[in-house]
Amino acid sequence: MAKVAPSILSADFANLSKALEQCEDGRADQIHIDVMDGHFVPNLTIGPTVVKDIRKQTTLPLDVHLMIENPQQYIPQFVDAGSDLITVHVESSGDMQMTLEMIRDAGISPGITLRPGTQLSLVEPYLELVDLVLVMSVEPGFGGQRFIPESFDRISSLRRSIDSNDGCSTLISVDGGVKLHNAAEILAAGADIVVAGSAIFGTDDPADTIRQFIAID
Ligand code: DX5
Ligand code: ZN
């Protein structure tokens, strides 16, 4: 069974509680929250205040994907807001190891992620420090883009690096362009979790779509 993280970026921001109910109803594994600052990516979304309000509405784990410059500066606010996992971009500014340790020391899970054009070797030094690597399969910034096919090889290659690293149980999550029709291939390439936004919230029955994702082998 697949683990599914619906990305609320494609939900109606004026009706987030409805989206969260749909995630619970469909038994999603975690809620993926995309935080964008208009600098690291050319789009603006939400900040810690909204994450805090989401926290009050759901018991599902909150998987916070920070697409922001200088993430270290904002870690305390996202921790206080109730995040369970905070994922930072390897391309963002600041000392990556310190940032990841700061997240771990706050008692929650650190994750690392990379743009589709960034070499995997840049995240490999951090594999033992993180609980999850988020492989971006679109250029970060917007929902509803097409899955970049080269991502399959990147997922498999990362899977091999993790599996050849004794005792390393870091999970692989894949974000961008994930649909019901390509999720099986993404999981077969080595992903543990799929993030899906438009493929879930663009349907008439998001809870049922989440169930269909989970049922994928
Ligand atoms: C893009 C975000 C994704 C986005 C995925 O920068 O990180 O999480 O919501 O959207 P879809 O599933 O529509 O490609
Ligand atoms: Zn994301």
Side-chain angles (χ1 to χ4, degrees), residues 7 9 32 34 36 65 67 136 140-144 175-177 195-198:
S7 163
L9 182 63
H32 186 85
D34 291 300
M36 308 186 190
H65 175 193
M67 285 160 273
M136 289 303 303
F142 300 91
D175 185 9
V195 175
S198 51

Side-chain angles (χ1 to χ4, degrees), residues 1-201:
M1 294 223 297
K3 283 195 189 313
V4 181
S7 163
I8 55 164
L9 182 63
S10 291
D12 177 355
F13 274 24
N15 273 303
L16 280 182
S17 25
K18 185 175 162 200
L20 298 171
E21 272 170 32
Q22 291 164 336
C23 292
E24 298 211 345
D25 185 14
R27 297 187 173 273
D29 291 278
Q30 56 205 42
I31 309 281
H32 186 85
I33 305 176
D34 291 300
V35 174
M36 308 186 190
D37 67 352
H39 294 280
F40 185 76
V41 287
N43 196 5
L44 288 160
T45 55
I46 59 168
T49 314
V50 178
V51 175
K52 196 172 201 160
D53 288 342
I54 291 173
R55 176 74 291 161
K56 292 185 228 153
Q57 297 283 323
T58 181
T59 54
L60 289 174
L62 302 184
D63 153 20
V64 176
H65 175 193
L66 295 185
M67 285 160 273
I68 65 175
E69 286 298 352
N70 196 12
Q72 201 176 331
Q73 186 183 342
Y74 297 95
I75 299 299
Q77 291 180 58
F78 284 101
V79 169
D80 288 348
S83 310
D84 296 280
L85 163 76
I86 296 180
T87 298
V88 293
H89 269 267
V90 71
E91 308 89 352
S92 58
S93 46
D95 183 318
M96 197 43 52
Q97 181 163 340
M98 268 177 69
T99 306
L100 298 171
E101 285 172 354
M102 193 173 175
I103 298 169
R104 178 77 74 198
D105 290 346
I108 66 167
S109 288
I112 195 162
T113 182
L114 71 174
R115 295 178 182 275
T118 299
Q119 292 199 348
L120 283 174
S121 58
L122 264 80
V123 300
E124 279 166 356
Y126 304 106
L127 289 182
E128 288 174 27
L129 282 179
V130 296
D131 290 340
L132 176 139
V133 179
L134 182 70
V135 176
M136 289 303 303
S137 40
V138 297
E139 205 50 62
F142 300 91
Q145 304 180 73
R146 281 175 69 92
F147 183 88
I148 298 172
E150 287 75 15
S151 309
F152 288 121
D153 284 347
R154 287 163 66 78
I155 298 162
S156 322
S157 165
L158 184 62
R159 178 83 272 157
R160 283 194 295 275
S161 304
I162 291 173
D163 291 351
S164 64
N165 199 334
D166 257 1
C168 181
S169 55
T170 299
L171 298 174
I172 300 177
S173 181
V174 176
D175 185 9
V178 178
K179 308 285 173 195
L180 281 169
H181 71 78
N182 61 11
E185 203 178 345
I186 292 166
L187 292 159
D192 301 290
I193 304 168
V194 287
V195 175
S198 51
I200 289 174
F201 293 106

